[in-house]
Amino acid sequence: MKTSDFYYDLPENLIAQTPIEPRDASRLMLMDKNSGQIQHKVFKNLIDFLNSGDCLILNNTRVIPARIYGVKKETGAVVEFLLLRQKQNLVWECLCGPGKRAKIGTEFVFGDGQLECKVTDILDDGNRIVEFKCKDNNNIFAVLDEIGQMPLPPYIKEKLKDKERYQTVYSENLGSAAAPTAGLHFTPEMLDKIKKKGVKIGYVTLHVGLGTFRPVKVDDVTKHTMHTEHYIMPQETADLINETHKNGKRVICVGTTSCRTVESVAVKNGCICADEDDTSIFIYPGYTFKCMDALVTNFHLPESTLIMLISAFAGSDNIMHAYKIAVEEKYRFFSFGDAMFLY
């Protein structure tokens, strides 16, 4: 299986630069994964295709305003830091640019001195381990909320006016370097209507890493090394999933992150149960799904692990055909773009 099998041509003007208002006004492509039949709707119409007794699984991670700019104490040179993963309270793995200015032992100051840091290690991939000091009772998240910027993907050039538009309305657990973007389409009112229809809602947490945006650089898909992300499957959600399947109803994941969480738990434990761990699960065609029955997802980058995941679920031919139609119909792509419902 070649990486190039998952390539498609995308005009740059179809990459969404700003979110649609209201959230649920984005377009929705529906595809029956067995027949390949496609319908074109608006996202708020999703409720018409959900059945009483189904459950929606949402990822309640919250994005950290993790992009900050530091001044090197010695020279005043500016370096951009992107906080990727919290190792301890004030110890983080970071992406730094330009990296040559962030050598081991180098110290930086951020904002008006609210935050300082020292580079303590350089990893094999070039990422830095950084130890912070902050004046606000060691509450680094409060400082980041004040001085940090949202770590928007590199293909989004427009500045985000409202930080909350890169958060889902149900975001709760801080820890992501990127949003679980399929969830950005939901409004509180839409979720209320879904519940009133008898559809249950369960929450998992998977803290999204920047690896989600990295292209696959090997020709053979099976040789790709997947990035690692941390997940939490609460007991309440595990019970809901098991009850849903027991009743013959569907488990519908909102986003590839929710999908990776439920499938990681199923692969590791042989069942769905409460669990917390790291996962580097790589789902591509040939994978047998153990939990998910349907998926709400956005349109993904060519040759990405995400387009491989949805191809595993709905079939490569179906997906590549659907993407061709999406381009012809001028759907909006990627993080702030339109959505698909694969069922």
Side-chain angles (χ1 to χ4, degrees), residues 21-311:
E21 294 293 348
R23 290 174 182 256
D24 59 2
S26 53
R27 295 168 74 187
L28 178 69
M29 177 186 283
L30 296 104
M31 190 175 78
D32 182 322
K33 68 185 180 71
N34 295 315
S35 68
Q37 183 181 355
I38 287 171
Q39 300 179 62
H40 303 287
K41 302 288 181 180
V42 176
F43 193 81
K44 62 185 177 183
N45 300 141
L46 175 67
I47 191 170
D48 299 331
F49 300 88
L50 305 178
N51 304 319
S52 179
D54 288 343
C55 75
L56 277 185
I57 302 301
L58 309 178
N59 181 6
N60 64 6
T61 188
R62 187 165 174 82
V63 186
I64 304 165
R67 179 172 278 121
I68 55 177
Y69 294 88
V71 177
K72 194 172 177 180
K73 276 188 177 181
E74 290 177 355
T75 64
V78 176
V79 174
E80 177 186 324
F81 285 72
L82 192 55
L83 280 66
L84 299 177
R85 194 167 183 182
Q86 189 175 29
K87 312 291 274 185
Q88 298 170 32
N89 180 30
L90 293 172
V91 178
W92 287 73
E93 181 180 342
C94 298
L95 194 62
C96 299
K100 63 184 179 181
R101 291 180 179 167
K103 296 175 180 174
I104 292 175
T106 312
E107 297 183 343
F108 295 86
V109 179
F110 304 85
D112 295 322
Q114 298 109 304
L115 198 62
E116 295 185 8
C117 82
K118 183 177 183 177
V119 179
T120 60
D121 197 8
I122 299 177
L123 304 180
D124 291 342
D125 59 5
N127 290 351
R128 269 59 175 171
I129 300 298
V130 171
E131 186 167 353
F132 287 98
K133 294 179 190 172
C134 58
K135 292 183 178 178
D136 187 8
N137 298 319
N138 287 338
N139 186 349
I140 191 169
F141 294 111
V143 177
L144 290 173
D145 202 43
E146 188 177 333
I147 68 171
Q149 297 177 17
M150 280 299 180
L152 295 179
Y155 49 73
I156 294 178
K157 313 298 182 189
E158 294 278 335
K159 185 156 183 165
L160 185 64
K161 293 177 182 176
D162 177 7
K163 284 182 183 178
E164 283 302 308
R165 285 305 270 111
Y166 196 55
Q167 305 279 17
T168 62
V169 296
Y170 47 81
S171 64
E172 188 174 331
N173 296 328
L174 275 166
S176 277
T181 54
L184 295 178
H185 305 283
F186 288 92
T187 65
E189 295 78 15
M190 185 175 175
L191 290 170
D192 284 343
K193 287 179 182 176
I194 287 170
K195 289 175 188 172
K196 284 175 182 170
K197 190 172 182 180
V199 178
K200 303 289 178 63
I201 294 179
Y203 296 95
V204 295
T205 302
L206 183 135
H207 292 316
V208 189
L210 285 185
T212 193
F213 298 118
R214 287 183 184 144
V216 175
K217 293 183 177 177
V218 291
D219 293 332
D220 181 351
V221 167
T222 62
K223 305 294 185 191
H224 176 67
T225 301
M226 195 68 175
H227 59 286
T228 299
E229 294 166 322
H230 190 72
Y231 71 81
I232 302 168
M233 168 69 75
Q235 184 68 56
E236 183 182 10
T237 304
D239 292 344
L240 173 61
I241 289 171
N242 290 326
E243 180 189 359
T244 301
H245 276 153
K246 182 181 175 183
N247 293 334
K249 301 296 184 176
R250 297 177 301 173
V251 171
I252 301 166
C253 290
V254 174
T256 55
T257 60
S258 297
C259 166
R260 293 183 71 236
T261 302
V262 301
E263 294 297 321
S264 294
V265 172
V267 168
K268 175 187 169 186
N269 300 291
C271 63
I272 297 296
C273 56
D275 193 21
E276 179 173 358
D277 205 347
D278 291 339
T279 181
S280 55
I281 191 171
F282 182 19
I283 297 174
Y284 54 86
Y287 177 84
T288 301
F289 285 81
K290 296 154 186 66
C291 179
M292 183 177 76
D293 303 304
L295 175 66
V296 178
T297 188
N298 278 17
F299 290 92
H300 304 296
L301 278 75
E303 300 184 335
S304 64
T305 59
L306 304 182
I307 197 171
M308 294 171 188
L309 184 155
I310 63 171
S311 295

Side-chain angles (χ1 to χ4, degrees), residues 12 15-19 155-159 332-333 336:
E12 194 171 333
I15 300 174
Q17 294 297 314
T18 54
Y155 49 73
I156 294 178
K157 313 298 182 189
E158 294 278 335
K159 185 156 183 165
R332 301 168 81 245
F333 279 68
F336 285 142

